[in-house]
């Protein structure tokens, strides 16, 4: 994970360039070592110059500029990065993983109401169905409490009569929580519990005393004193508190948690027949459902005694009180961003601790899955009794809405090697969406591990360790890429999912906001944490809603000021554990930062690949020029090299200033400099420049007198037509390389939109043209350029007359002159190199 562009590939690429430089250097040594007129020390020095030209000293700076420019741009978008190499790595991402609550949906939870037991031990369903609907929800703040006489039995369910809330149900609802009181009187804690306290109108007198609302106090509902808390654990999916009414020593165990988990703690006589139907109905609507239960512990046992017995004692044989139904709205841009990611060929998945039905419905709402509920399947463990009395364990995908016994074998798709291709094809054609719970994930891992162990070893492996076992990882890297929704996942299981995606060859992005996302954020190639601040989020959304309404200017001004104040308050929110673990932190509450990082990552990745391609072509061209000139004893002037160095430095700087586009493309940038597209492009461009430089040198050599002092090997530099023409074509080829290899769309702004680069290229090309046609002599003298040949061009023909390229060039010189021919060669060189690059991109995509 320690490089945005594969470090090994870069090393191999530079070694290839070094081999080319060695070939050029060996050619120079072979051709000139026996020449007694050449100084051997200077010959070796020249060879060293050819070799070191492969990796110029400014390369690290050029690559750092690309990353630094992106860092600066991300900071302006309130995104901060602590590991810079992750930026180009973001350009390779193909799988985006999201937490649900606080990331895709708001942390601003709302208590929709309570589903309570009515007559006949059934949960109330006014429409006559077994599951009822939202119209059966009882809203606490608008409802009376049942009479004490109705709710006095400890062995029977609290019953709602005439739409009233049972007192024991309310006691569990507001008493089973872990909120704490700040010094300023506000509450600190889980958004779900904050929503319950707010919607019930209750208050905290201290961290352990809950004061009911005035309406409830008027109905003789006493404050609740919390004596001890068994904290919520993601593994257990529930929490329990020991509490009593103020001025009453009678203790209760108050529990809330996942309905499927708490059901196993209830006395069977208190479980309504439509228990499963009701909670699954609300989950299928994307709502969050908590089961409320209590147990009477009496007055004889002390709190210390109960605590010593463990939470198993308090949570045994509980009485069902009802369901609390909550929901949290989608964040405004979640649907838009997910759809942009899906349309740009990014696989988007959800990894959450919520129930599978709830998670699947929210995933459907944001666009992660686009199949109907009937086409959404969940992996489950199926057991079949064998003749010898043992059970055969198998795993199969079954309809998510169906419970055990509600589906037949024809509706199951077994998770076996023979069906993997079928499942992949169905998911790809969007005929099927798959879900996986953390419990089943662990069981799959355990089954894979036990399949490779002896009977004696099977009892040793722990469920947490099974996820790391090599046998389990082999299975999981096949299973995980098929799934779109991961539900009821603990932090360890979330991390295991990301690791399996990585091992299957995916490049992963994980976006989350809580402590439970830390492991996954660290495992992902790109981990992004966003801020979770429900209160501020409510203020911002409220202010924006007011601004969208047509109202008076004074009211709009007030709403705008509220929005500004809320955003300033957001900037002061302290960062949590997720921010400490993730390489990227966004001081926003939106997943739009994921799109911004992907755009910037692609732009940076393409820029770095451009730099390597430009480096490759320029190094090969420089090696060629150094070799060709040295054969003829020709050198380049210090001013020429300085001018060329300044031009190259400016062009590299402005290449890194390219900005990403506003939308993601479905086309992916190359992830390695050793890909066929890059290598073929470099070879084609070098061939074009090779022909151009050899043509220019060959057409200039006949104009040079062999006895010219400037041709003396190892002598001082003196301008002559050969080094002047070669310098001009070298500068032209260098400028051309930047223009040709600038990728532009669909990953970054076009060459014309990068104004700094465009103006620099235009200025440099204009200066080369001025020097070639020699209309401003002081400029040529400053660059140590010799006058170009003119006069009798028949010297080019030789005894045998014109033939091949020399014949074409000599004819051109005879017709339009040496200078115009040199300009024409420059134009052809640029045009052919540009055509070679475009054909290569089209061919290799």
């Amino acid at each position: 994970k320690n490089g945005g562009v594969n470090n090994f590939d870069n090393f191999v690429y530079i070694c290839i360039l070094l081999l080319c430089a060695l070939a050029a250097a060996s050619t120079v040594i072979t051709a000139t070592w026996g020449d007694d007129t050449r100084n051997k020390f200077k010959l070796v020095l020249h060879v060293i110059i050819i070799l070191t030209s492969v990796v110029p000293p400014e390369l690290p700076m050029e690559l750092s500029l690309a990353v630094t420019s992106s860092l600066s741009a991300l900071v302006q978008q309130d995104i901060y990065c602590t590991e810079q190499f992750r930026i180009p790595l973001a350009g390779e991402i193909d799988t985006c993983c999201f937490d649900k609550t606080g990331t895709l949906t708001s942390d601003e939870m709302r208590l929709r109401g309570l589903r309570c037991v009515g007559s006949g031990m059934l949960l109330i369903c006014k429409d006559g169905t077994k599951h009822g609907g939202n119209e059966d929800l009882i809203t606490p703040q608008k409802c009376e409490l049942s009479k004490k006489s109705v709710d006095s039995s400890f062995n029977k369910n609290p019953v709602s009569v005439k739409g009233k809330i049972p007192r024991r149900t309310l006691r569990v609802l507001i008493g089973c929580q872990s909120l704490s009181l700040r010094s300023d009187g506000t509450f600190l804690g889980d958004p779900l519990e904050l929503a319950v306290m707010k919607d019930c109108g209750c208050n905290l007198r201290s961290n352990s005393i809950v004061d009911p609302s005035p309406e409830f106090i008027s109905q003789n509902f006493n404050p609740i004193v919390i004596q001890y808390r068994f904290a919520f654990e993601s593994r257990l999916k529930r929490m329990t508190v020991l509490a009593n009414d103020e001025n009453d020593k009678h203790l209760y165990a108050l529990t809330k948690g996942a309905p499927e988990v708490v059901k196993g703690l209830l006395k069977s006589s208190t479980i309504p027949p439509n228990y499963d139907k009701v909670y699954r109905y609300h989950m299928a609507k994307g709502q969050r459902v908590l089961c409320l239960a209590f147990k009477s512990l009496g007055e004889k046992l002390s709190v210390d005694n109960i605590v010593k017995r463990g939470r198993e004692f308090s949570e045994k044989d509980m009485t069902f009180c009802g369901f609390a139904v909550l929901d949290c709205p989608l964040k405004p841009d979640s649907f838009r961003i997910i759809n942009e990611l899906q349309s740009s060929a990014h696989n988007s998945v959800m990894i959450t601790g919520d129930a599978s039905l709830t998670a699947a419905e929210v995933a459907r709402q944001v666009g992660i899955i686009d199949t109907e509920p009937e086409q959404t399947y969940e992996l489950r463990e199926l057991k079949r009794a064998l003749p010898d009395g043992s059970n055969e364990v198998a795993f199969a995908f079954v309809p998510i809405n169906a419970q055990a016994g509600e589906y037949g074998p024809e509706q199951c798709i077994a998770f076996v090697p023979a069906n993997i291709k079928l499942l992949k094809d169905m998911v790809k054609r969007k005929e099927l969406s798959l879900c996986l719970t953390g419990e089943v994930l662990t069981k799959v891992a355990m089954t894979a591990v036990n399949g490779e162990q002896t009977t004696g070893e099977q009892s040793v492996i722990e469920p947490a360790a099974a996820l790391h076992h090599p046998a389990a990882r082999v299975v999981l890297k096949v299973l995980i890429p098929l799934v779109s929704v991961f539900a009821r996942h603990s932090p360890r299981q979330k991390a295991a999912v990301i690791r399996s995606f990585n091992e299957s060859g995916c490049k992963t992005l994980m976006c989350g906001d809580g402590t439970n996302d830390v492991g996954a954020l660290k495992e992902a190639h790109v981990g992004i944490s966003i801020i979770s601040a429900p209160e501020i989020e409510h203020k911002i959304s409220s202010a924006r809603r007011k601004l969208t309404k047509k109202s008076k200017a004074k009211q709009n001004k007030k709403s705008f000021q509220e929005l500004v104040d809320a955003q300033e308050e957001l900037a002061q929110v302290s960062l949590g554990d997720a921010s400490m673990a993730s390489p990227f932190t966004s001081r926003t509450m939106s997943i739009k930062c994921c799109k911004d990082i992907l755009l910037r990552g692609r732009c940076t990745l393409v820029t770095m690949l451009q730099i390597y391609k430009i480096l490759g072509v320029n190094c090969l061209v420089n090696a060629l020029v150094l070799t060709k000139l040295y054969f003829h004893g020709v050198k380049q002037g210090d001013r020429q090299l300085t001018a060329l160095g300044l031009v190259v430095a400016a062009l590299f700087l402005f290449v890194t200033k390219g900005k990403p586009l506003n939308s993601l493309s479905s086309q992916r940038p190359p992830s390695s400099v050793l890909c066929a597209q890059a290598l073929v492009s470099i070879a084609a461009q070098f061939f074009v420049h090779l022909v151009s430089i050899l043509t220019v040198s060959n057409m200039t050599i006949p104009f040079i007198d062999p006895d010219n002092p400037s041709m003396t090997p190892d002598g001082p530099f003196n301008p002559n037509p050969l080094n002047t023409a070669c310098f001009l074509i070298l500068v032209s080829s260098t400028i051309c390389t930047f223009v040709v290899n600038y990728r532009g769309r669909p990953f970054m702004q076009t060459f014309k939109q990068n104004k700094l680069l465009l103006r620099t290229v235009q200025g440099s090309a204009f200066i080369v043209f001025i020097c070639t046609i020699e209309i401003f002599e002081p400029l040529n003298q400053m660059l140590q350029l010799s006058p170009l040949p003119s006069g009798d061009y028949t010297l080019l023909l030789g005894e045998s007359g014109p033939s091949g390229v020399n014949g074409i060039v000599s004819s051109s010189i005879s017709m339009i002159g040496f200078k115009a021919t040199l300009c024409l060669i420059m134009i052809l060189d640029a045009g052919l190199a540009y055509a070679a690059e475009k054909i290569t991109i089209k061919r290799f995509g």
Side-chain angles (χ1 to χ4, degrees):
K1 292 185 185 179
N2 59 350
V5 181
N6 189 287
N7 280 339
F8 178 74
D9 287 1
N10 297 342
F11 174 75
V12 173
Y13 177 70
I14 290 175
C15 287
I16 292 173
L17 295 181
L18 181 61
L19 289 176
C20 295
L22 283 171
S26 63
T27 303
V28 170
I29 292 177
T30 302
T32 59
W33 189 261
D35 189 348
D36 296 333
T37 61
R38 295 181 183 271
N39 184 296
K40 297 297 187 290
F41 173 77
K42 290 187 176 182
L43 172 60
V44 172
L45 186 62
H46 189 78
V47 167
I48 292 173
I49 291 173
I50 293 175
L51 295 177
T52 55
S53 67
V54 172
V55 186
E58 67 270 15
L59 176 61
M61 179 191 68
E62 293 159 358
L63 297 175
S64 296
L65 276 173
V67 177
T68 303
S69 297
S70 295
L71 274 176
S72 176
L74 288 174
V75 168
Q76 294 175 6
Q77 296 173 301
D78 284 334
I79 300 171
Y80 303 89
C81 178
T82 57
E83 299 177 4
Q84 299 180 7
F85 70 86
R86 304 274 183 179
I87 295 178
L89 199 57
E92 302 178 42
I93 295 299
D94 53 29
T95 302
C96 300
C97 308
F98 297 93
D99 179 36
K100 185 182 83 71
T101 307
T103 304
L104 294 173
T105 64
S106 170
D107 254 338
E108 182 192 349
M109 285 204 171
R110 299 177 300 197
L111 177 63
R112 295 295 300 273
L114 299 169
R115 291 296 299 270
C116 299
V117 177
S119 59
M121 278 295 294
L122 287 169
L123 285 157
I124 298 171
C125 300
K126 296 176 183 177
D127 59 2
T129 62
K130 291 184 178 181
H131 53 71
N134 287 337
E135 64 274 8
D136 298 311
L137 293 170
I138 303 174
T139 308
Q141 64 267 38
K142 298 179 181 179
C143 188
E144 295 182 7
L145 297 179
S146 61
K147 295 180 180 180
K148 288 188 177 181
S149 59
V150 175
D151 197 23
S152 59
S153 174
F154 293 128
N155 298 316
K156 295 182 180 180
N157 300 79
V159 176
S160 173
V161 178
K162 296 181 179 179
K164 296 181 180 181
I165 297 179
R167 291 173 179 268
R168 290 194 180 126
T169 301
L170 182 63
R171 181 184 289 116
V172 178
L173 182 65
I174 65 175
C176 186
Q177 42 85 4
S178 56
L179 297 175
S180 58
L181 192 64
R182 289 194 182 108
S183 57
D184 60 358
T186 58
F187 306 155
L188 177 66
D190 189 282
L192 182 150
E193 295 172 348
L194 291 170
V196 169
M197 295 294 284
K198 176 184 175 183
D199 291 337
C200 290
C202 298
N203 201 359
L204 286 181
R205 190 189 309 172
S206 67
N207 289 346
S208 59
I209 301 178
V210 182
D211 285 328
S213 67
E215 291 80 5
F216 295 150
I217 292 176
S218 66
Q219 299 178 62
N220 299 320
F221 189 86
N222 297 321
I224 299 171
V225 181
I226 300 173
Q227 302 291 350
Y228 188 83
R229 290 183 174 97
F230 293 105
F232 173 82
E233 293 184 26
S234 58
R235 176 178 59 88
L236 300 176
K237 300 181 179 65
R238 64 181 183 271
M239 77 167 291
T240 299
V241 302
L242 304 179
N244 59 273
D245 291 348
E246 194 174 39
N247 302 323
D248 187 350
K249 295 183 179 180
H250 192 105
L251 277 175
Y252 299 93
L254 310 178
T255 297
K256 68 179 180 187
E260 67 273 21
V261 173
V262 178
K263 184 179 181 181
L265 308 176
L266 300 175
K267 289 185 290 188
S268 58
S269 61
T270 69
I271 301 175
N274 58 345
Y275 180 99
D276 292 333
K277 294 287 185 182
V278 170
Y279 86 74
R280 291 178 67 85
Y281 169 82
H282 287 286
M283 284 183 174
K285 296 297 181 183
Q287 297 169 322
R288 189 165 182 178
V289 182
L290 293 177
C291 177
L292 307 178
F294 82 96
K295 179 180 181 180
S296 173
L297 299 172
E299 300 179 10
K300 294 182 180 180
L301 293 175
S302 67
V303 173
D304 291 340
N305 193 325
I306 296 171
V307 171
K308 286 179 181 178
R309 296 190 183 194
R311 66 189 301 167
E312 293 80 8
F313 170 76
S314 301
E315 295 174 345
K316 183 180 179 182
D317 294 332
M318 306 196 82
T319 299
F320 175 68
C321 290
F323 292 125
V325 179
L326 304 97
D327 66 8
C328 43
L330 295 179
K331 291 188 176 180
D333 50 7
S334 292
F335 177 79
R336 177 176 60 85
I337 298 299
I338 293 296
N339 273 269
E340 285 191 44
L341 293 176
Q342 298 278 51
S343 62
S344 59
H346 287 89
N347 178 32
S348 298
V349 303
M350 178 192 292
I351 311 176
T352 179
D354 281 355
S356 54
L357 284 169
T358 303
E361 178 57 27
V362 173
R364 189 173 292 107
Q365 292 174 12
V366 298
I368 288 178
I369 60 177
D370 51 8
T371 57
E372 295 300 320
E374 296 76 18
Q375 298 170 302
T376 305
Y377 279 53
E378 178 183 35
L379 187 65
R380 294 182 188 170
E381 181 186 31
L382 305 179
K383 292 183 179 180
R384 187 179 65 175
L386 298 177
D388 61 0
S390 62
N391 290 325
E392 181 185 40
V393 177
F395 296 93
F397 289 99
V398 303
I400 192 171
N401 288 326
Q403 292 181 264
E406 296 181 351
Y407 53 85
E410 69 281 356
Q411 293 177 284
C412 301
I413 305 175
F415 176 61
V416 293
N419 285 343
I420 297 300
K421 186 177 186 303
L422 170 67
L423 289 166
K424 285 182 179 179
D425 292 341
M426 292 182 73
V427 170
K428 188 176 182 180
R429 294 194 301 266
K430 299 183 179 180
E431 297 174 356
L432 192 69
S433 295
L434 303 179
C435 301
L436 176 65
T437 62
E439 180 184 5
V440 174
L441 173 75
T442 302
K443 288 181 178 179
V444 170
M446 290 287 291
T447 302
V449 173
N450 291 336
E452 289 203 351
Q453 292 183 332
T454 63
T455 306
E457 293 177 320
Q458 290 181 11
S459 59
V460 177
I461 192 74
E462 292 290 332
L467 295 172
H468 297 272
H469 194 279
R473 293 169 77 159
V474 170
V475 176
L476 293 182
K477 75 178 182 180
V478 175
L479 169 63
I480 295 302
L482 300 173
V483 180
S484 299
V485 177
F486 300 87
R488 291 288 191 225
H489 273 57
S490 67
R492 285 179 181 271
Q493 291 164 342
K494 287 186 176 184
V497 168
I498 298 295
R499 184 169 57 250
S500 298
F501 269 121
N502 294 342
E503 291 176 351
S504 69
C506 299
K507 292 292 171 58
T508 53
L509 174 149
M510 175 66 193
C511 182
D513 68 312
T515 303
N516 59 343
D517 300 317
V518 167
L521 290 168
K522 294 175 73 173
E523 283 287 344
H525 294 99
V526 174
I528 306 171
S529 66
I530 60 177
I531 288 178
S532 176
E535 296 176 2
I536 301 175
E537 187 174 1
H538 173 71
K539 293 178 183 178
I540 292 175
S541 60
S542 177
R544 284 176 174 167
R545 281 196 299 268
K546 292 177 182 178
L547 285 172
T548 56
K549 295 179 181 178
K550 293 183 179 179
S551 55
K552 296 180 180 179
K554 187 176 180 180
Q555 292 176 330
N556 279 337
K557 185 177 180 181
K558 182 180 177 181
S559 299
F560 182 75
Q561 186 59 45
E562 290 176 357
L563 180 61
V564 172
D565 292 342
Q567 289 175 337
E568 289 179 355
E569 190 177 349
L570 180 64
Q572 304 303 318
V573 174
S574 59
L575 303 178
D577 294 337
S579 299
M580 305 305 169
S582 60
F584 290 91
T585 296
S586 172
R587 294 199 70 91
T588 64
M589 297 177 290
S590 165
I591 63 169
K592 181 180 178 297
C593 60
C594 298
K595 175 188 171 184
D596 295 333
I597 291 172
L598 292 177
L599 286 170
R600 183 56 64 174
R602 285 187 170 191
C603 179
T604 307
L605 177 61
V606 169
T607 299
M608 295 178 74
L609 291 174
Q610 286 174 178
I611 290 173
Y612 276 111
K613 285 179 66 179
I614 293 168
L615 165 72
V617 176
N618 284 348
C619 285
L620 294 175
V621 170
N622 281 330
L624 172 65
V625 171
L626 289 171
T627 303
K628 187 66 177 177
L629 290 180
Y630 194 75
F631 283 160
H632 299 285
V634 179
K635 295 157 284 294
Q636 289 180 318
D638 293 339
R639 295 180 190 174
Q640 293 175 357
L641 294 175
T642 301
L644 179 59
L646 290 173
V647 170
V648 170
L651 291 173
F652 268 124
L653 173 63
F654 298 139
V655 161
T656 63
K657 297 298 181 182
K659 298 178 181 179
L661 301 178
N662 294 324
S663 60
L664 288 164
S665 167
S666 58
Q667 183 179 348
R668 298 191 182 281
S671 59
S672 170
V673 73
L674 291 182
C675 66
Q677 181 189 112
L679 294 179
V680 172
S681 173
I682 291 170
Q685 291 179 56
F686 173 66
F687 178 76
V688 171
H689 298 319
L690 169 67
V691 173
S692 301
I693 292 171
L694 291 178
T695 300
V696 169
S697 61
N698 289 337
M699 80 181 197
T700 310
I701 288 173
F703 292 95
I704 305 298
D705 185 355
D707 298 327
N708 190 319
S710 64
M711 303 293 286
T712 303
D714 305 324
F717 169 77
N718 286 300
N720 62 41
L722 179 58
N723 61 37
T724 295
C726 285
F727 172 74
L728 291 173
I729 190 65
L730 173 62
V731 175
S732 173
S733 298
T734 300
I735 296 171
C736 166
T737 302
F738 282 91
V739 177
V740 168
N741 290 287
Y742 187 89
R743 185 63 184 270
R745 291 182 179 276
F747 308 116
M748 57 198 299
Q749 62 182 182
T750 62
F751 178 75
K752 291 182 179 179
Q753 292 171 326
N754 190 337
K755 298 299 182 183
L756 291 173
L757 181 62
L758 175 64
R759 298 290 181 254
T760 304
V761 168
Q762 289 175 335
S764 302
F766 179 74
I767 290 174
V768 171
F769 177 72
I770 294 299
C771 292
T772 303
I773 61 177
E774 299 177 337
I775 61 174
F776 188 62
E777 188 175 346
L779 178 61
N780 289 48
Q781 292 177 351
M782 182 183 71
L783 294 175
Q784 299 174 298
L785 300 178
S786 168
L788 293 173
S790 59
D792 187 4
Y793 302 115
T794 56
L795 293 172
L796 288 170
L797 303 180
E799 296 180 359
S800 59
S803 62
V805 175
N806 281 345
I808 297 173
V809 171
S810 63
S811 300
S812 175
I813 294 176
S814 300
M815 293 174 59
I816 60 177
F818 187 94
K819 299 173 186 177
T821 300
L822 181 57
C823 289
L824 181 61
I825 292 174
M826 291 178 182
I827 294 171
L828 288 173
D829 175 68
L832 291 174
Y834 182 81
E837 170 69 4
K838 294 305 175 185
I839 292 172
T840 303
I841 291 177
K842 186 176 181 180
R843 173 64 181 82
F844 294 97

